[in-house]
Amino acid sequence: MNQFKQWWDQASSRDQIMLMAGAAFLLVYLLFMAVLGPVKDMRDKEVLRNTAQRASLERVKELAAKVMEQNASASGARQQSSIESIVQRSFGPNNLQVSSMDASGNNGLRLRFDEVPFDNALKWLHEMEVTQGLQIQDLAISPTNNPGMVSVNLRMQQ
């Protein structure tokens, strides 16, 4: 260390200034590399992630457009067949016998079932709403004297 101090004292002020400036630049460079290197890597990763997210969003938009198109075509097909025909076709597979069926307003229908199995009625209601897209407006279910059997009154719309 003494040799360095002697050399420093013997060096000209211009050499001392140049050496100090070089050391300062080296220190600043090392600090920038220690801080900016990881930041640049994180930025590059975020750019890649953002690109992947954009591609994923585009795929979702395409799939959503296809689903909307399919729903529109299915809705158009449902609209073409009347609510009465949809409901009448559904009685047989669900083992239901309707007591009365009357048209109610625009695209509406009133139905009454006497003495039908509760499970069949529930399955049929689910099918009408979820599969066929009909809306149940009013619903009254009352038990009968026979266990497991119910009477159902309802109003539905397309």
Side-chain angles (χ1 to χ4, degrees):
M1 190 69 156
N2 283 338
Q3 288 178 348
F4 179 73
K5 191 172 184 182
Q6 281 179 342
W7 177 82
W8 186 258
D9 289 338
Q10 291 176 356
S12 67
S13 61
R14 185 178 127 217
D15 288 343
Q16 288 177 352
I17 292 172
M18 291 301 284
L19 191 58
M20 288 177 63
F25 282 123
L26 182 63
L27 182 63
V28 169
Y29 174 76
L30 290 175
L31 284 175
F32 272 121
M33 293 311 291
V35 172
L36 291 181
V39 169
K40 182 184 177 293
D41 290 343
M42 288 187 324
R43 181 192 158 276
D44 292 343
K45 287 178 184 175
E46 286 299 316
V47 166
L48 288 174
R49 199 182 89 169
N50 192 17
T51 304
Q53 289 289 334
R54 281 189 187 141
S56 177
L57 178 62
E58 288 303 317
R59 285 192 305 271
V60 167
K61 283 182 179 179
E62 289 172 8
L63 289 173
K66 286 181 183 177
V67 167
M68 294 297 283
E69 183 179 311
Q70 288 174 350
N71 284 347
S73 66
S75 175
R78 264 191 248 125
Q79 297 265 337
Q80 289 173 354
S81 59
S82 70
I83 188 170
E84 292 91 2
S85 64
I86 292 171
V87 171
Q88 285 177 348
R89 282 184 298 216
S90 67
F91 293 146
N94 290 295
N95 198 19
L96 294 174
Q97 188 134 14
V98 68
S99 300
S100 67
M101 182 168 69
D102 299 316
S104 170
N106 191 16
N107 286 333
L109 198 60
R110 286 188 180 275
L111 296 164
R112 177 171 175 79
F113 299 98
D114 291 326
E115 295 279 330
V116 295
F118 177 73
D119 291 339
N120 292 7
L122 210 52
K123 180 183 167 194
W124 178 79
L125 287 168
H126 179 266
E127 179 185 334
M128 291 297 100
E129 277 210 327
V130 175
T131 307
Q132 300 298 331
L134 301 176
Q135 295 178 347
I136 308 297
Q137 300 296 316
D138 295 318
L139 175 64
I141 299 177
S142 53
T144 63
N145 292 333
N146 296 332
M149 303 297 271
V150 292
S151 293
V152 179
N153 288 312
L154 67 105
R155 184 172 57 97
M156 61 177 28
Q157 270 186 274
Q158 197 166 23

